[in-house]
Amino acid sequence: MSEQSKPQSTAPEFAIRATRAEDVEQITVLSNLPRYRAGTLRLPYQSLEQTRTWLDGHGTGTLSLVAEINDLIVGLASSRRFDGRRLHVAALGMGVHDHFTRCGIGKALLAALIDAADNWLNIKRIELIVFADNTPAIRLYEKFGFETEGVQRAAAFKERRYADCLAMARVRGEP
């Protein structure tokens, strides 16, 4: 196959890395994008101080990652391990920049968090909450073995109405 006849990749190249303190401004911008924010429980107009407090609050039980394209943060994902009798459980949250959805960024971020959970942290259960109408996210989670455990009726107020959320989890089998 000649170089000219090879199919062109439309997905941009991106890198996954740990969050850094200097990411605060870009994470704030990302968090305030309309579609990104709509998929989360965040309020509009998140401030730099709120983002900084969130970043600073990450303890040793939190793994927080970003996806970057040419130094632009286009995705954010984190898992937070519980303590005590739930030490084997982590909660997951993630989102992708409005202009970079369906480019494999969410899939790569989720894969990186699951790899860390399975191979480095010995997390047995990963749980999350997702809006019931967020079909692309639900399908992505299902591809990684997440199952719906329940529906939270009128769990959040979104776009002038109460919205349902799904409680989903992935429970790793015994080795």
Side-chain angles (χ1 to χ4, degrees):
M1 182 180 285
S2 73
E3 285 296 315
Q4 290 178 334
S5 61
K6 285 185 181 176
Q8 296 293 317
S9 172
T10 57
E13 288 190 32
F14 56 88
I16 305 291
R17 65 166 175 79
T19 55
R20 301 186 287 239
E22 58 267 23
D23 293 334
V24 66
E25 288 186 34
Q26 284 199 58
I27 291 174
T28 302
V29 169
L30 179 67
S31 299
N32 284 309
L33 293 173
R35 286 189 359 222
Y36 180 99
R37 185 180 62 239
T40 72
L41 295 175
R42 296 174 188 261
L43 295 174
Y45 311 110
Q46 181 168 316
S47 69
L48 277 171
E49 292 75 26
Q50 289 169 312
T51 304
R52 189 173 291 110
T53 299
W54 176 78
L55 274 173
D56 291 345
H58 291 168
T60 57
T62 299
L63 177 60
S64 185
L65 305 174
V66 294
E68 266 186 334
I69 298 175
N70 299 325
D71 298 320
L72 174 68
I73 293 176
V74 295
L76 175 66
S78 65
S79 65
R80 182 181 53 84
R81 180 181 217 146
F82 294 101
D83 57 14
R85 292 175 61 178
R86 288 182 41 92
L87 190 61
H88 65 290
V89 180
L92 182 140
M94 60 184 291
V96 175
H97 190 290
D98 290 9
H99 298 128
F100 293 94
T101 59
R102 303 195 189 223
C103 294
I105 294 167
K107 180 179 179 181
L109 286 166
L110 186 56
L113 287 178
I114 288 175
D115 175 65
D118 289 353
N119 298 310
W120 295 91
L121 302 170
N122 198 25
I123 300 290
K124 182 165 181 72
R125 175 185 169 86
I126 304 171
E127 55 191 36
L128 60 86
I129 303 297
V130 61
F131 282 109
D133 64 355
N134 191 345
T135 304
I138 293 165
R139 297 297 168 255
L140 175 64
Y141 298 138
E142 288 173 341
K143 286 178 185 175
F144 279 86
F146 285 81
E147 295 179 4
T148 299
E149 295 184 325
V151 177
Q152 299 174 332
R153 302 277 178 216
F157 193 72
K158 176 184 167 187
E159 298 170 354
R160 296 186 297 220
R161 64 177 180 81
Y162 289 101
D164 294 346
C165 289
L166 301 181
M168 297 185 77
R170 173 189 177 269
V171 180
R172 183 169 44 95
E174 295 300 322

